[in-house]
Amino acid sequence: MVTPGVAASDAVDSIVGLATVALVRDDYAAALAAYDMLRARRPSSPVAELGRAYALAKLGRRGEASQAIDRAEALGGPPANVARLRALVR
């Protein structure tokens, strides 16, 4: 029998794994797609917004990246990570 909470947690871990592999491969479009999936499952996740911001910045979509950074900060994202991403987007 599968416990629903465990299955959902495994799915989230898998999505984060997909995003990580995409980032390592410099496949920012795939990373963005994975972080979008994560955001759909966990809309209040600062991790999803920080990941989206990084991928968007690498894709040259700086306006959207700035919005994602703002959302990550509002959701309680680590201040040091928020600051690093803001510097990247400038």
Side-chain angles (χ1 to χ4, degrees):
M1 185 168 120
V2 176
T3 306
V6 172
S9 177
D10 288 347
V12 166
D13 289 345
S14 294
I15 293 168
V16 172
L18 288 171
T20 301
V21 169
L23 290 175
V24 168
R25 293 181 175 175
D26 295 333
D27 187 349
Y28 302 113
L32 178 59
Y35 284 120
D36 282 343
M37 282 192 293
L38 179 58
R39 184 171 73 164
R41 286 182 176 265
R42 300 274 167 89
S44 61
S45 170
V47 170
E49 293 300 337
L50 290 168
R52 289 183 76 254
Y54 183 78
L56 286 163
K58 291 302 225 174
L59 290 167
R61 295 164 59 181
R62 300 209 182 288
E64 292 171 89
S66 290
Q67 291 172 351
I69 293 166
D70 291 343
R71 282 192 298 274
E73 185 174 40
L75 292 170
N81 293 13
V82 169
R84 272 189 231 112
L85 281 170
R86 284 199 196 284
L88 177 67
V89 170
R90 289 184 191 156

